[in-house]
Amino acid sequence: MHGFFLLHVSHTHGLQKHSADARAFSFIKILNLMQNMSHPPQMLFVENVVGFEVSDTHDQLLEVLSTLNFNLQEFILSPLQFGVPYSRPRYFCLAKREPMRFQNVSFNNKLLRTPMCLSQTVNSTSQDSDNRTEEELDPVCKPVKDFLVKESDGGIYDETILQDYIVPLNLIERWGNAMDIVYPESKRCCCFTKSYYRYVKGTGSLLATSENVKSVPEEKLGISSLKELGLRFFTPREVANFHSFPSSFCFPDHISLRQQYAMLGNSLSAAVVGPLLRYLFAEA
C-alpha cells in the first residue's frame, strides 16, 4: 500500500493573510516535515477554499512537491458539476510521486476548472457538464426536493419534526432582505457554513415550504411576503444529502444540533471527492 496523505486544510486563505494566517501553520509544518522524511508519501490529496491557488502557501506547496519529484494536477470543482444542486466550489490538488503517473499526463501542472479528465470515474451527468458555466449547469442538476427529508411511508414531509427548523419571524423581519431563499424545484442552493442555523445571513440557503407561494425573485419579495413563504432551515440530514453522504450516515446522539451543522459546514462533498480519489488511485 502506497503512503497517502489527505490534507483537508480549508480556510488557510480566508482572511487574505496567506502563510501568515495561524490556520496555515499546521499545513506548512507538514510540508516542512515531508522534506525530511526518509519515506515521503507516494500520493497527496489537498483540499482548500478557492483563493488558495493564488496564495504564497500554495507556492510553498508547489515548491515542496517539485523538490520531492511529484507530478500534480489541480482542480477547482463544485458539486454543481456532478449533478448536485449545491454551489460549493473548492480547490483540490492531486499529486503522485515519481515514477507514479496520472492517467492523463497532459493535465500535469495545470489548474482545471472542469472534471473532464475524470471521465472514466464520473457519471454521464457530470461528463455532459464538463465545460459548462455554473449558470448553464442548473438544468442538469437534480432539484432541491430530491435532497429533502421525507417520511418513510409515502414521501410526505414530516412536518412535526420540521417545526424545529422554522425560521423565527423576528429573524425574517431583521434579515429578510439578506436571506438566500430556494424552493423545492430550485436547481441550486448556497454553500452551508459552520454557522448555519445560528445565523441566517451568509451561512446558507433557506427553504420556502409554503405550497401556495410560487418561486419569486428575492428582490421582488417584501418582508410581508417573506413571512408567507414558510421559511425553514435545512436539517442536518438534508445538508448531509447535499454533501452526498450515504443514507446510512448519522451523528451520535450526544452531538448537539449546532455541532452537527458546524461539522457539516467544514465537510467535503463526497460527489466531488469520490471521483477525484478514484482518479488519483487509478494506475496509468
Side-chain angles (χ1 to χ4, degrees):
M1 179 64 182
H2 297 288
F4 169 65
F5 272 11
L6 169 60
L7 301 180
H8 173 36
V9 286
S10 290
H11 309 306
T12 61
H13 181 70
L15 297 179
Q16 307 298 319
K17 296 180 181 179
H18 303 278
S19 58
D21 190 331
R23 292 170 295 182
F25 290 169
S26 59
F27 180 64
I28 295 172
K29 178 67 173 180
I30 291 174
L31 293 180
N32 291 333
L33 289 173
M34 284 176 57
Q35 299 179 83
N36 298 314
M37 288 180 176
S38 56
H39 299 287
Q42 298 300 297
M43 291 186 286
L44 194 71
F45 184 102
V46 180
E47 180 267 358
N48 212 313
V49 295
V50 174
F52 175 78
E53 74 280 2
V54 295
S55 68
D56 60 356
T57 309
H58 172 262
D59 294 339
Q60 293 182 52
L61 170 65
L62 298 192
E63 182 178 351
V64 170
L65 294 182
S66 176
T67 301
L68 295 175
N69 297 316
F70 275 91
N71 296 309
L72 66 91
Q73 295 182 6
E74 300 175 282
F75 302 82
I76 291 180
L77 299 175
S78 171
L80 288 169
Q81 294 167 289
F82 296 80
V84 180
Y86 184 35
S87 180
R88 189 184 178 89
R90 287 294 185 269
Y91 164 88
F92 300 93
C93 175
L94 280 59
K96 289 185 173 185
R97 196 175 184 213
E98 290 283 4
M100 301 178 68
R101 298 179 181 273
F102 287 99
Q103 288 183 325
N104 298 294
V105 296
S106 62
F107 296 115
N108 284 0
N109 303 312
K110 293 182 179 180
L111 178 62
L112 307 177
R113 296 180 182 273
T114 76
M116 57 187 303
C117 72
L118 310 180
S119 59
Q120 296 180 0
T121 61
V122 299
N123 59 34
S124 59
T125 299
S126 58
Q127 291 179 44
D128 292 341
S129 62
D130 279 347
N131 297 305
R132 299 186 185 185
T133 64
E134 282 202 347
E135 289 71 22
E136 294 170 329
L137 282 169
D138 286 357
V140 304
C141 286
K142 298 177 182 177
V144 165
K145 66 180 181 181
D146 287 3
F147 297 79
L148 302 180
V149 170
K150 301 177 178 64
E151 287 184 305
S152 59
D153 56 348
I156 305 300
Y157 302 148
D158 188 340
E159 299 298 340
T160 301
I161 295 177
L162 296 181
Q163 284 299 317
D164 294 337
Y165 299 92
I166 296 297
V167 180
L169 292 179
N170 65 311
L171 292 182
I172 295 177
E173 292 171 351
R174 182 175 182 181
W175 300 109
N177 293 331
M179 294 176 176
D180 182 78
I181 299 168
V182 299
Y183 301 81
E185 299 296 335
S186 297
K187 297 294 186 69
R188 167 201 303 261
C189 67
C190 290
C191 178
F192 298 103
T193 74
K194 64 180 182 180
S195 297
Y196 190 68
Y197 192 75
R198 293 172 55 200
Y199 304 102
V200 296
K201 182 181 179 181
T203 62
S205 299
L206 301 171
L207 179 67
T209 63
S210 175
E211 296 181 356
N212 298 322
V213 180
K214 301 295 184 180
S215 176
V216 178
E218 292 178 51
E219 61 270 17
K220 296 183 179 180
L221 287 172
I223 296 300
S224 59
S225 298
L226 288 173
K227 293 180 180 179
E228 298 176 1
L229 293 181
L231 296 178
R232 72 164 176 86
F233 293 95
F234 287 93
T235 69
R237 176 64 256 182
E238 290 167 341
V239 176
N241 290 343
F242 284 118
H243 281 84
S244 302
F245 287 7
S247 58
S248 58
F249 171 82
C250 64
F251 286 101
D253 293 337
H254 69 277
I255 304 298
S256 71
L257 191 59
R258 287 191 176 186
Q259 288 175 316
Q260 292 179 37
Y261 282 119
M263 287 187 279
L264 288 167
N266 283 323
S267 190
L268 299 170
S269 167
V272 180
V273 171
L276 285 170
L277 285 176
R278 286 193 292 272
Y279 176 63
L280 175 63
F281 280 95
E283 296 183 4

